[in-house]
Amino acid sequence: MSSSLTPPPSLLHHHNHHFTRRTLLLSTTTTTLSLPSFPSLSSTTPTITDRFFIDFSLCPNATNPARTLGDTFSSLCSDSTLLGRVILGLYGNLVPITVSNFKSMCLSSNSNSNSTYKNTLVHKIFPGQYFLAGRQGRPDKGEVRPPHELARNTETVDPNAFLLTHSRPGVVSLSLSENDDDEAIKLDPGYRNVEFLITTGPGPCPQLDNKNIVFGTVLEGLDVITAIASIPTYKPSERIRQLNDLAEYFGDGRAQNARATWNRPLTTVYISDCGELKVAKPSLPPSLP
């Protein structure tokens, strides 16, 4: 059974009905293709609505074996050395709840409840990628305890909150996929995630994209971020990793406890102060992260 391609009527008026393939293609009716639409940052360009500072310091006595039950983290680190100040720009127009909760954790004045990032640890450093801070737990161990009135963050289930990427050093992000709060804490009905990460470079961290909420950027103090990234960390040997995987396979709960010590800095670095910087014009357009 044969088939033939019949040219359109307009072509039949050509002398001797001669036509080229190009003429045929140009003369046929064209079809408009509809391309799928994807979320665009053009309509949600990040604008800096707030500026906050974080002071990072080194504490030589945080792991002092001679510490007593009456020692607090702040008292142990009273003779700390300031590493430097980092200025953050926050994207309150994109993720207002995430930014509001971060601001609350920086501005909390209730020192008795320890509901602040102040005097809490940078507890994990992943060289060449990012570091983590704001882990929940015991304040006397440099961990944070969020206030009960902190808002529930519904942005964690909003696809639009995950549009920005971790494409360069200095990206500030709410830690979701990398969050290492204890499971017992996460099961609390009043649990509010306040753990955050800052990318350290030198390259991007695409493995964090679409899993963590970018809510700010480092405006000043990237050298401090680099200094933190260079602090040596505990790295288990390959054999220890294999034994840990085996223990986890057999359901040994000690495997997870052991992994909690991996990538911990060997020198204690912590947030010695944090707060808001008032500026005359708070809306400053940054480059995209």
Side-chain angles (χ1 to χ4, degrees):
M1 179 175 170
S2 61
S3 61
S4 61
L5 177 64
T6 304
S10 59
L11 290 180
L12 298 178
H13 299 288
H14 284 262
H15 181 66
N16 295 329
H17 297 177
H18 292 305
F19 53 88
T20 65
R21 180 181 178 86
R22 180 174 181 274
T23 305
L24 175 62
L25 293 175
L26 291 176
S27 302
T28 55
T29 303
T30 59
T31 303
T32 303
L33 297 178
S34 298
L35 298 177
S37 59
F38 296 96
S40 172
L41 290 179
S42 60
S43 59
T44 54
T45 302
T47 300
I48 293 176
T49 56
D50 307 273
R51 284 191 175 198
F52 273 69
F53 72 89
I54 296 181
D55 291 341
F56 292 98
S57 297
L58 302 177
C59 176
N61 300 322
T63 57
N64 188 346
R67 65 182 296 180
T68 65
L69 293 176
D71 287 331
T72 63
F73 190 83
S74 57
S75 64
L76 287 170
C77 297
S78 58
D79 58 346
S80 61
T81 301
L82 180 64
L83 193 59
R85 171 167 289 191
V86 173
I87 308 298
L88 306 178
L90 308 182
Y91 303 145
N93 65 319
L94 284 186
V95 281
I97 301 176
T98 302
V99 167
S100 177
N101 284 354
F102 181 85
K103 291 166 59 177
S104 296
M105 293 300 299
C106 284
L107 297 174
S108 178
S109 60
N110 189 350
S111 58
N112 292 327
S113 66
N114 298 284
S115 300
T116 174
Y117 288 129
K118 186 175 180 179
N119 294 321
T120 61
L121 293 168
V122 172
H123 62 279
K124 291 286 184 70
I125 300 174
F126 297 85
Q129 300 180 64
Y130 59 92
F131 64 77
L132 290 170
R135 187 176 193 269
Q136 295 188 39
R138 292 172 48 182
D140 62 316
K141 297 178 65 177
E143 296 171 330
V144 69
R145 183 178 296 165
H148 295 294
E149 64 272 14
L150 206 64
R152 182 175 295 277
N153 194 343
T154 55
E155 290 166 351
T156 58
V157 294
D158 181 0
N160 292 326
F162 296 85
L163 295 180
L164 299 183
T165 60
H166 304 77
S167 58
R168 60 181 175 83
V171 173
V172 187
S173 184
L174 180 67
S175 178
L176 298 175
S177 66
E178 311 308 309
N179 180 283
D180 60 354
D181 289 334
D182 289 340
E183 292 301 321
I185 293 178
K186 292 180 180 179
L187 292 175
D188 188 321
Y191 174 73
R192 301 289 187 269
N193 180 19
V194 296
E195 187 172 300
F196 67 95
L197 63 86
I198 300 180
T199 57
T200 60
C205 293
Q207 75 276 16
L208 301 177
D209 295 344
N210 305 312
K211 301 175 183 177
N212 304 276
I213 299 177
V214 174
F215 66 90
T217 184
V218 172
L219 299 176
E220 300 177 32
L222 201 55
D223 57 325
V224 179
I225 301 299
T226 303
I228 294 174
S230 66
I231 295 175
T233 60
Y234 170 67
K235 299 177 182 178
S237 65
E238 184 60 30
R239 177 170 174 76
I240 291 179
R241 289 180 180 273
Q242 292 174 353
L243 291 174
N244 186 275
D245 290 342
L246 185 63
E248 183 181 29
Y249 176 79
F250 285 108
D252 191 334
R254 293 174 296 179
Q256 182 177 0
N257 294 334
R259 286 198 303 274
T261 64
W262 299 1
N263 294 103
R264 279 189 178 177
L266 298 180
T267 300
T268 301
V269 55
Y270 75 107
I271 299 173
S272 53
D273 199 6
C274 55
E276 186 174 12
L277 293 175
K278 297 293 185 180
V279 292
K281 296 181 178 180
S283 296
L284 303 173
S287 58
L288 286 175

